[in-house]
Amino acid sequence: MSGRTPVEGADVCVVGAGPAGGIVADRLAADHEVVVLEAGPRFDPAERTDRQERAIRPAYDRPDVWEMGGPRDAHSASGERFYPLNHARVKGIGGSTLHWQGMVMRLHEDDFNSGSARGVGPDWPVDYADLRPYYAEAERELGVSGADDNPYAPPREEPHPMPAFPPSYSDSLFAEACEELEIDMHSVPNARNSEPYDGRPECVGYGTCQPVCPSGAKYDATTHIESAAARGAMVIDRAPVQRLEHDADRVTAAVYATPDGERHRQEADAVVVACGGVETPRLLLLSESTDYPDGLANSSGLVGRLFMDHLFAGAGGVLEEPTRQNHVGFYTSGCDQFYDDADAEVAPFKLEFFNYAGPSPVETALSADEWGDDLLEGLRDSYGNHVAMGALVEQLPREDSYVGLDPDRTDDHGNPVPDVHWSVGDRALRTIERANEIQTAVLEELGAEIEWVAGPDDTGPAYHHMGTTRMSDDPGAGVVDADCRTHDLENCWVASSSVFPTGGAMNPTLTIAALALRVADHVDGALR
Amino acid sequence: MELSRRDAVAALAAIGAGTGAAVHAVDSDDDTAAPPVETLVAAAEVVYPSELSGVEPFVEALAERRAAGDDAHARGVRETVRELDRHAESWYDAPFVELSAADRDALLREVGADTADEDPDGTTAERVRYYVVNELLLALYASPTGGELVGIENPQGHPGGVDSYRQGPGR
């Protein structure tokens, strides 16, 4: 057997080496023969400072940092809002956690019951109590720094694995304004080490968390892939799965390509598709057959449908005093006070108090038209007194928001590329306005001169791909069941935010990790 | 304000160090693989603010790591510096290092490096901006001393720990 040939007698084939695939593989590798197929490369950790340089230098766009783009990653965006897919994801061992921000909140209890509690959208077939022990486990797996000071967070049973990062200096400025407005601030959970944890160092403040952490203090899924490999899993990189072969009831093999131009068939008793909210439905759609003419596992017709992201709302300005921004690349305080006010008219949203408002001097210097003393004077003028707030807003699943295949464009293997057709409804847009009202009120109370507002016309996606293989007890209303197993195929599971029936407004990765741990339990049970 | 060896080390931690080759590699296309320290120092004297001292050892350390190896980046620095020298010889009848500071400043502007967007594969202006001007600015403003000139002692790219973000302006 060479390094890229199939493993005989495999129990589990995991497609995708991001956090979901990594966690599933790591959980199962000790007791089962596990193979992981990853479309992208295994990046050399020694190159992370080079990637950081790309993140800072203006010659490179965000996709260049992790080598996204080109024929492999071609995509379309036919919706009313352009979707910059290659800014939103990374292909490689570690997946999009290589470039993520690292925020790890639990969804709220009502997020699992949107239809019942808020009067819009479906309920999940699982609730918070079902996921609660998995959330705690996921926090240990990822390594989360957090505190129990958030009165609006759902109930938890134990402290976070590490203490929270203390509030920033600018948080203390915001705190005075928020107290006047009776707005509560609290810490936020970070998947970033506030102290050494699980063999990884504490954060040393490089300030480029998104898109690259050179120190390894920020969690990324290379951790779980390396652990899975150490337990015996075979991890094959640069092995994009082309289709899932199947009969009417089971996936029989994953057909993957290798850099030498060969194709291989990886058979396994169980298959876990963990390619994120875009490539997961794309792979199922590419695997159409006479049994499944509309795409594999698509008897419901919902594969790729109901695509959701979180929407950004923000506002920023300047004060007449120093605010000490851009020392670190993460934020330390948030506000969930308004989250559970959500109803049919207004969506849940969370507020963020940035520690990286305004320009980073080094980035400004590299794009300036002057140098020497003039440049320094310009940098001193532009840096130092900015403040900003952000927010994430839920969007509801919509029929006109979906991931499909573009029949007119193919990737480097001749497969139709994903078409992210993204649409946003009025409830989300109204909620952005509501978030803006609070943000501008806080900034005005702070005495800031407001310079920008990201409102309904300027919003963009948070790069959280959800909803495209919805979870439901009803085979007609979802692609996977409550165990994240496809309704149509008895040995095929999906571990991804693609199973979220609704999105809430919390960053999704902790929930992805919790569901992946749960999927691993179900796969393990099915194999025994 | 004086640049220190700590700044040089910090700058190299903050930015990719190429191959990290401290020993000058033999380069088949480039028989002068020694880093162009003097030219980079001469450029730094123009693009760095006048209140800085200690520029020469800082740039020497930078050049040893970033312009001395056989990697593409180091070759790019050396080739671009040679190109800059050719322009200096052509327009000012002397290599870059022998020009007055005013002429060095003028030459960099005449090649267009002041307004060009950096591009390692671009025009002369874009490459001078990338391999000379921004090479130096990146090293400086991602270092603690460069940051402190602006008012941020832990600038982006520098692993300065997680204390400074909590400290107020009167730290």
Side-chain angles (χ1 to χ4, degrees):
Chain A
M1 189 189 82
S2 77
R4 296 184 188 282
T5 53
V7 173
E8 287 189 25
D11 299 313
V12 185
C13 176
V14 178
V15 184
I23 286 171
V24 170
D26 184 44
R27 273 302 154 111
L28 296 175
D31 297 321
H32 304 283
E33 192 75 48
V34 175
V35 182
V36 181
L37 301 173
E38 166 54 45
R42 180 181 278 102
F43 294 107
D44 182 351
E47 293 176 349
R48 287 199 176 188
T49 50
D50 296 315
R51 299 189 190 285
Q52 178 179 251
E53 182 178 337
R54 290 187 201 177
I56 294 172
R57 294 194 81 141
Y60 303 96
D61 286 335
R62 187 51 56 95
D64 297 329
V65 174
W66 293 101
E67 298 164 32
M68 288 298 297
R72 183 194 68 180
D73 306 319
H75 66 94
S76 297
S78 64
E80 63 188 29
R81 292 171 184 268
F82 176 72
Y83 200 92
L85 184 58
N86 287 336
H87 285 69
R89 60 182 183 167
V90 174
K91 290 183 183 175
I93 302 297
S96 295
T97 53
L98 293 171
H99 81 159
W100 73 323
Q101 177 77 3
M103 308 315 299
V104 276
M105 294 77 177
R106 299 181 181 195
L107 287 174
H108 284 203
E109 289 158 298
D110 281 358
D111 288 325
F112 296 90
N113 302 296
S114 184
S116 307
R118 298 171 181 152
V120 286
D123 288 354
W124 293 41
V126 297
D127 59 24
Y128 180 76
D130 295 319
L131 274 197
R132 185 169 164 174
Y134 289 103
Y135 270 135
E137 204 170 347
E139 288 164 349
R140 290 191 294 271
E141 287 292 325
L142 272 56
V144 176
S145 302
D148 193 16
D149 65 338
N150 180 356
Y152 306 101
R156 51 181 305 115
E157 54 297 301
E158 58 189 85
H160 292 85
M162 288 171 279
F165 286 92
S168 65
Y169 174 70
S170 56
D171 288 339
S172 72
L173 301 177
F174 276 116
E176 293 176 25
C178 286
E179 189 171 354
E180 284 296 316
L181 298 173
E182 299 184 339
I183 292 173
D184 295 327
M185 293 173 67
H186 48 75
S187 68
V188 289
N190 274 277
R192 186 178 347 269
N193 294 352
S194 61
E195 58 190 27
Y197 184 82
D198 195 26
R200 294 184 289 114
E202 63 189 319
C203 175
V204 292
Y206 272 108
T208 56
C209 310
Q210 192 179 33
V212 57
C213 172
S215 74
K218 182 186 77 173
Y219 168 82
D220 66 60
T222 60
T223 297
H224 281 105
I225 290 295
E226 287 168 8
S227 175
R231 295 179 204 271
M234 170 64 77
V235 180
I236 305 177
D237 71 337
R238 291 181 289 157
V241 174
Q242 307 295 295
R243 63 180 278 113
L244 298 174
E245 290 187 352
H246 56 274
D247 55 29
D249 303 317
R250 298 176 63 81
V251 174
T252 52
V255 178
Y256 63 96
T258 47
D260 58 7
E262 296 295 316
R263 293 197 178 206
H264 303 274
R265 295 177 75 256
Q266 177 62 59
E267 299 180 356
D269 294 333
V271 172
V272 178
V273 185
C275 318
V278 172
E279 294 294 340
T280 290
R282 180 185 180 219
L283 177 58
L284 295 175
L285 294 172
L286 289 173
S287 302
E288 48 82 28
S289 66
T290 52
D291 284 321
Y292 294 99
D294 298 324
L296 185 60
N298 197 19
S299 294
S300 65
L302 292 175
V303 170
R305 313 304 297 187
L306 309 171
F307 173 75
M308 300 175 286
D309 204 319
H310 292 130
L311 294 145
F312 177 76
V318 292
L319 301 182
E320 291 182 353
E321 62 178 306
T323 56
R324 307 277 293 161
Q325 297 296 283
N326 284 302
H327 289 245
V328 293
F330 56 94
Y331 70 97
T332 40
S333 292
C335 171
D336 297 345
Q337 182 174 338
F338 306 97
Y339 195 96
D340 288 317
D341 292 343
D343 57 21
E345 296 300 312
V346 177
F349 65 96
K350 64 155 185 162
L351 297 167
E352 306 163 339
F353 300 89
F354 287 173
N355 293 330
Y356 34 83
S360 156
V362 62
E363 291 188 17
T364 304
L366 302 187
S367 297
D369 286 347
E370 62 272 334
W371 49 58
D373 291 340
D374 291 342
L375 171 61
L376 179 57
E377 187 180 338
L379 295 176
R380 285 171 171 164
D381 285 346
S382 65
Y383 170 77
N385 60 343
H386 287 76
V387 285
M389 292 179 66
L392 289 189
V393 171
E394 179 189 58
Q395 77 160 118
L396 288 170
R398 293 166 57 88
E399 284 293 324
D400 61 355
S401 191
Y402 59 85
V403 174
L405 300 179
D406 183 344
D408 299 322
R409 197 169 181 201
T410 54
D411 67 7
D412 56 343
H413 290 93
N415 295 313
V417 305
D419 171 22
V420 180
H421 187 106
W422 184 45
S423 300
V424 177
D426 290 340
R427 177 175 181 257
L429 299 177
R430 274 195 302 276
T431 308
I432 292 170
E433 289 179 344
R434 172 69 179 132
N436 289 157
E437 286 172 7
I438 298 168
Q439 290 163 335
T440 53
V442 172
L443 292 172
E444 285 168 1
E445 181 64 35
L446 200 51
E449 178 186 341
I450 295 175
E451 292 188 326
W452 61 271
V453 175
D457 296 333
D458 310 306
T459 187
Y463 304 155
H464 303 152
H465 305 149
M466 301 172 287
T468 49
T469 62
R470 174 191 277 183
M471 180 198 297
S472 173
D473 283 330
D474 176 0
V479 177
V480 301
D481 63 17
D483 298 340
C484 297
R485 177 159 56 179
T486 57
H487 284 292
D488 289 340
L489 299 133
E490 63 191 34
N491 70 335
C492 182
W493 284 260
V494 175
S496 165
S497 48
S498 63
V499 306
F500 291 13
T502 55
M506 294 298 177
N507 308 57
T509 300
L510 191 72
T511 305
I512 294 171
L515 287 171
L517 289 163
R518 196 162 165 273
V519 165
D521 279 355
H522 289 300
V523 173
D524 181 58
L527 290 172
R528 288 180 187 275
Chain B
M1 192 171 285
E2 181 163 5
L3 281 163
S4 64
R5 173 161 178 74
R6 173 171 162 261
D7 286 300
V9 171
L12 293 169
I15 58 182
T19 59
V23 177
H24 304 169
V26 175
D27 185 337
S28 57
D29 299 326
D30 179 4
D31 57 6
T32 54
V37 175
E38 290 182 350
T39 307
L40 290 173
V41 170
E45 288 169 355
V46 172
V47 302
Y48 283 178
S50 57
E51 65 188 79
L52 265 184
S53 59
V55 170
E56 189 168 337
F58 177 82
V59 176
E60 277 176 5
L62 177 73
E64 282 288 333
R65 290 293 295 271
R66 298 271 294 184
D70 191 26
D71 59 291
H73 184 86
R75 284 200 301 274
V77 174
R78 295 196 296 270
E79 287 165 9
T80 305
V81 163
R82 283 199 293 273
E83 195 170 345
L84 192 61
D85 264 335
R86 284 197 292 276
H87 284 290
E89 295 277 7
S90 174
W91 296 346
Y92 290 87
D93 299 320
F96 187 79
V97 295
E98 293 180 13
L99 303 183
S100 68
D103 284 349
R104 276 175 267 154
D105 182 274
L107 177 62
L108 287 170
R109 294 179 194 279
E110 284 157 9
V111 300
D114 53 342
T115 55
D117 294 330
E118 64 162 23
D119 184 347
D121 303 312
T123 63
T124 297
E126 292 163 342
R127 280 182 285 111
V128 170
R129 180 75 195 211
Y130 185 90
Y131 284 116
V132 179
V133 175
N134 276 2
E135 180 79 359
L136 293 163
L137 293 179
L138 174 63
L140 174 62
Y141 287 110
S143 76
T145 296
E148 282 189 41
L149 282 172
V150 185
I152 177 171
E153 65 274 29
N154 183 27
Q156 191 182 39
H158 173 60
V162 289
D163 291 328
S164 69
Y165 82 90
R166 300 165 55 191
Q167 296 165 351
R171 62 189 187 280

